[in-house]
Amino acid sequence: MGILDSPTKRARIVTMKKAGVKNSKIQAEVSGSVSQINRLHRKWKNQTQFYGKTPGRGRPRALSEQDIRRIACLLHTGKAESVRDVNQRFYTDVEERTIRRALHEKGIHGFRSWQVPLI
């Protein structure tokens, strides 16, 4: 039994299963167990691109792109004064640090410019 988790073998298994080929013939061709074949087919049967990661892996993000845009708009229009205000009034289930990090990744930084005296 060899390792079946390569993009070429994934594609081969999915196309053969869709064509109605029996597991024993697939097993003979790709040299893997029937349970491996079924597992890979179940995992990749709805995909057309076999070179990437399977979708839906990892922890879901606390803030979506739309949430980040909304927070930026709240801060820009003055409906919220700071990230702490946004956190306390609108996004209580998300940590303040998470909101700051998301805004920082989008290039929105929290700072005030210095007032330089006119000389």
Side-chain angles (χ1 to χ4, degrees), residues 2-3 12 14 20 36 38 40-42 45 50 52 54 56 61 63-64 78 80 82-83 85 90 92 94-95 104 112:
I3 296 175
R12 189 73 184 138
V14 170
Q36 285 178 318
N38 288 331
L40 283 172
H41 178 257
R42 189 171 47 250
K45 66 183 173 186
F50 298 100
T54 55
R61 297 188 62 92
L63 295 170
S64 66
S82 65
V83 172
D85 190 26
F90 301 104
T92 56
V94 179
E95 289 290 325
H104 184 76
R112 290 188 177 180

Side-chain angles (χ1 to χ4, degrees), residues 23-38:
N23 283 339
S24 57
K25 291 193 179 192
I26 298 173
Q27 183 182 10
E29 186 168 325
V30 296
S31 69
S33 70
V34 175
S35 62
Q36 285 178 318
I37 292 168
N38 288 331

Side-chain angles (χ1 to χ4, degrees), residues 55-65 67-68 93-94 98 101:
R57 296 294 174 150
R59 183 183 177 113
R61 297 188 62 92
L63 295 170
S64 66
E65 292 292 324
D67 290 335
I68 297 168
D93 57 333
V94 179
T98 304
R101 189 179 323 115

Side-chain angles (χ1 to χ4, degrees), residues 76-92:
H76 181 71
T77 59
K79 292 182 182 177
E81 293 181 14
S82 65
V83 172
R84 180 170 288 155
D85 190 26
V86 169
N87 181 255
Q88 291 174 350
R89 290 177 44 202
F90 301 104
Y91 291 93
T92 56

